Amino acid sequence: MPPHCDTMDGPVVMAARQALETEDITLILPYVKEDASAALNSAFEKTLRARKAGPAARQVADLYFFETAVRLHRAGEGAAYTGLKPAGLDEGPVIPVAERAIKTGSADELTRMLKDTVEQEVRHRFDRVKDLQNYRSGDIVKAREYVEAMLGLEVWSHQLYQAMKAAPHESSHEHRHV
């Protein structure tokens, strides 16, 4: 899944687009850290001036601003900027549900989806450990399979727990962020 914030239809570009259309920098500033505000503001001013030079200049200027906004946003997350991604990429199943939760003001569907997914994964991984635990003494191949599954469950559980307890925007942003 690509980082949602790197896409042309992601929240950073959408906010940048709206900021340009309304000539209101405050619509995009929340997406970058405070120490990047001056750089974003400079790019915003240059973009607004360049947009007046005609349709082609407007298109190039807008793209420059989108790239700058996303690059500064990603830097604020401690993530590399790898360029803008096209709109319409598969963002996986959870992003649309999370977006719906925000729009509707109800986390019920998102909570249910996440709970069900975690429950299915725990059961699958745990059942695998149980299936592998009764190996013959001295069967190193089977013992290794068991140890791999057992430690895999423990490590996965620990990582999931840490991700759930991480402060907002601390988790991995394959997306350290959406």
Side-chain angles (χ1 to χ4, degrees):
M1 177 180 100
H4 185 50
C5 291
D6 282 6
T7 63
M8 288 296 288
D9 57 350
V12 177
V13 171
M14 298 307 285
R17 189 180 312 278
Q18 190 174 20
L20 290 174
E21 293 305 320
T22 61
E23 297 187 7
D24 183 358
I25 187 77
T26 65
L27 299 175
I28 184 63
L29 282 175
Y31 289 86
V32 301
K33 299 279 186 193
E34 189 173 341
D35 63 356
S37 294
L40 188 62
N41 195 43
S42 174
F44 184 72
E45 294 301 324
K46 290 175 190 172
T47 301
L48 290 180
R49 284 193 306 275
R51 291 177 107 217
K52 296 175 181 163
R58 180 184 177 115
Q59 187 176 12
V60 171
D62 286 3
L63 186 58
Y64 159 75
F65 186 65
F66 300 156
E67 288 176 336
T68 301
V70 170
R71 179 178 49 79
L72 294 173
H73 171 78
R74 298 284 288 158
E77 296 174 333
Y81 172 66
T82 58
L84 288 176
K85 309 300 184 287
L89 294 178
D90 180 11
E91 55 201 22
V94 76
I95 295 294
V97 175
E99 288 175 339
R100 261 193 315 278
I102 293 165
K103 286 179 184 164
T104 65
S106 172
D108 292 347
E109 180 187 8
L110 178 60
T111 300
R112 192 171 35 257
M113 176 189 201
L114 294 173
K115 180 185 85 53
D116 291 350
T117 302
V118 169
E119 186 173 353
Q120 289 168 7
E121 278 299 308
V122 168
R123 288 187 189 285
H124 171 75
R125 292 165 189 260
F126 183 76
D127 287 347
R128 175 134 171 86
V129 170
K130 283 183 65 175
D131 288 346
L132 294 172
Q133 73 184 2
N134 294 322
Y135 54 88
R136 272 190 348 253
S137 179
D139 188 339
I140 301 302
V141 171
K142 294 292 184 188
R144 284 185 178 132
E145 285 181 41
Y146 168 74
V147 168
E148 184 178 326
M150 182 253 319
L151 293 178
L153 171 64
E154 292 174 3
V155 169
W156 176 81
S157 299
H158 175 71
Q159 291 171 338
L160 179 61
Y161 181 80
Q162 285 187 314
M164 290 186 301
K165 293 299 184 179
H169 248 58
E170 260 184 37
S171 59
S172 146
H173 178 66
E174 169 195 296
H175 211 321
R176 284 184 74 143
H177 160 100
V178 265

